[in-house]
Amino acid sequence: MEPWNSTLGSGFILMGILNDSGSPELLCATITVLYTLALTSNGLLLLAITMDARLHVPMSLLLRQLSLMDLLFTSVVTPKAIVDFLLSENTISFGGCALQVFLVLTLGGAEDLLLAFMAYDRYVAICHPLNYMVLMRPRVCWLMVVTPWVLASLNALGHTLYIMHFSFCMSREISHLLCEIPPLLKLACADTSRYELMVYVMGVTFLIPSFVAILVSYSVILLTVLHMPSNEGRQKALVTCSSHLTVVRMFYGAATFMYVLPSSLHSPKQDNIISVFYTMVTPALNSLIYSLRNKEVMGALRRVLQKYMLRTHS
């Protein structure tokens, strides 16, 4: 097949999950509800942490970053998917596709590193409580905030430039919800085996060390918690850690499937389901998992809402 480029066509056609669904209207309504939930829950969590001085602590600073990443992550994909379905217009420009690849890789990579830092924060808080404010001093906290963004954006820039330099064959249809590396590689005319190996190495390099660090942190935490004399302290530690581990399982399961498993094990239908999970479902649930099981966050949220209600009635 003859190659095409951005000057010979209007871009790509995203053949997402809505086009393959037996009940596209119901699925679109579900996705809209998930996006509304993600906007509301993450927005309220950001507001509570920002406005309440009692939450200006290291863990809340990291949690605020997670909410921001989830809010941006789902906004990169979901609004376009909904609008495209309503307007029956599934095209995306070459530049728009490149931007979506870059943002998805940046936000996904940053969240991967952030979750590892959050595990370290819990390890220090539970295993070394007396040294917590020394080990998690402001300079360290801001380093934990900035590092994921910088490393993930540099990694994403390199991969975006490389994947978009390929010549793509005449079929412009991407059998996926969004522009992402695995489905784009299937449209490339050139031999992509070496680059697929590089994507695999990137996935392993980003995901496995962070995942191992999280497992080690929580293994040590579990041993420490089991030896706690106070039942109340033990229960509080387990609730906090179980919330984090729930988020970790959802994120790493989906990311490993997309970027570590060989392409031969992928199918368009499976990839679409996984993409919906980590771009729409996970961002909507993360903030609920953290806030509903965290008394400090729920208390701060109630105080912020009470202040707002008092101002509106005065």
Side-chain angles (χ1 to χ4, degrees):
M1 286 186 290
E2 294 179 8
W4 70 278
N5 56 41
S6 57
T7 62
L8 298 176
S10 57
F12 297 97
I13 300 172
L14 295 171
M15 305 298 292
I17 194 169
L18 288 171
N19 296 315
D20 299 329
S21 171
S23 304
E25 293 83 6
L26 178 61
L27 184 56
C28 183
T30 304
I31 289 173
T32 303
V33 170
L34 283 173
Y35 184 58
T36 304
L37 180 61
L39 287 179
T40 305
S41 58
N42 285 292
L44 287 174
L45 192 56
L46 284 168
L47 180 65
I49 294 173
T50 303
M51 298 295 291
D52 196 303
R54 277 171 275 195
L55 288 181
H56 292 176
V57 294
M59 184 57 183
S60 295
L61 179 65
L62 298 177
L63 182 55
R64 183 169 61 181
Q65 289 299 306
L66 181 65
S67 287
L68 178 61
M69 289 173 185
D70 282 337
L71 197 59
L72 294 174
F73 204 171
T74 190
S75 295
V76 168
V77 179
T78 312
K80 177 167 175 54
I82 295 171
V83 171
D84 283 354
F85 174 74
L86 295 176
L87 300 180
S88 299
E89 178 65 50
N90 296 333
T91 60
I92 185 170
S93 67
F94 189 88
C97 185
L99 179 62
Q100 200 171 58
V101 170
F102 172 76
L103 292 175
V104 166
L105 286 176
T106 297
L107 294 165
E111 186 163 331
D112 162 54
L113 297 173
L114 183 70
L115 288 173
F117 286 139
M118 291 175 77
Y120 173 76
D121 172 84
R122 291 300 84 201
Y123 160 75
V124 174
I126 294 171
C127 300
H128 303 282
L130 298 179
N131 296 322
Y132 182 73
M133 296 312 297
V134 176
L135 295 173
M136 294 297 294
R137 55 192 178 275
R139 187 174 179 179
V140 174
C141 291
W142 283 110
L143 190 62
M144 287 181 171
V145 168
V146 173
T147 300
W149 288 104
V150 173
L151 292 181
S153 60
L154 290 175
N155 174 69
L157 180 61
H159 280 285
T160 303
L161 293 175
Y162 200 93
I163 187 68
M164 301 311 288
H165 97 282
F166 282 116
S167 293
F168 297 98
C169 295
M170 288 300 291
S171 175
R172 299 185 291 118
E173 294 184 356
I174 300 176
S175 300
H176 201 53
L177 179 68
L178 66 149
C179 281
E180 208 167 4
I181 289 176
L184 278 172
L185 286 176
K186 295 178 182 178
L187 300 184
C189 299
D191 178 17
T192 62
S193 56
R194 288 186 179 180
Y195 181 62
E196 285 185 44
L197 178 61
M198 194 164 75
V199 171
Y200 169 78
V201 171
M202 177 271 291
V204 170
T205 302
F206 254 79
L207 292 172
I208 302 304
S210 298
F211 188 60
V212 170
I214 291 170
L215 288 180
V216 171
S217 296
Y218 281 105
S219 296
V220 177
I221 287 171
L222 182 60
L223 291 174
T224 304
V225 167
L226 291 176
H227 290 89
M228 281 183 173
S230 167
N231 285 331
E232 184 180 349
R234 190 185 304 126
Q235 185 177 4
K236 183 178 179 181
L238 287 174
V239 167
T240 303
C241 294
S242 63
S243 300
H244 189 196
L245 285 174
T246 302
V247 173
V248 166
R249 283 197 298 268
M250 292 193 300
F251 178 82
Y252 281 93
T256 300
F257 182 89
M258 284 300 295
Y259 288 98
V260 176
L261 291 184
S263 58
S264 58
L265 299 178
H266 289 234
S267 72
K269 186 174 182 180
Q270 285 178 324
D271 286 356
N272 268 318
I273 293 172
I274 294 296
S275 66
V276 167
F277 191 80
Y278 66 77
T279 61
M280 299 177 187
V281 177
T282 303
L285 295 181
N286 279 357
S287 57
L288 292 178
I289 291 169
Y290 274 108
S291 59
L292 292 178
R293 304 184 72 176
N294 189 310
K295 292 180 180 179
E296 289 81 5
V297 172
M298 290 301 295
L301 191 55
R302 279 194 294 269
R303 287 190 293 271
V304 169
L305 292 176
Q306 285 171 0
K307 285 181 182 179
Y308 175 78
M309 295 297 293
L310 289 173
R311 287 181 182 177
T312 55
H313 290 296
S314 60

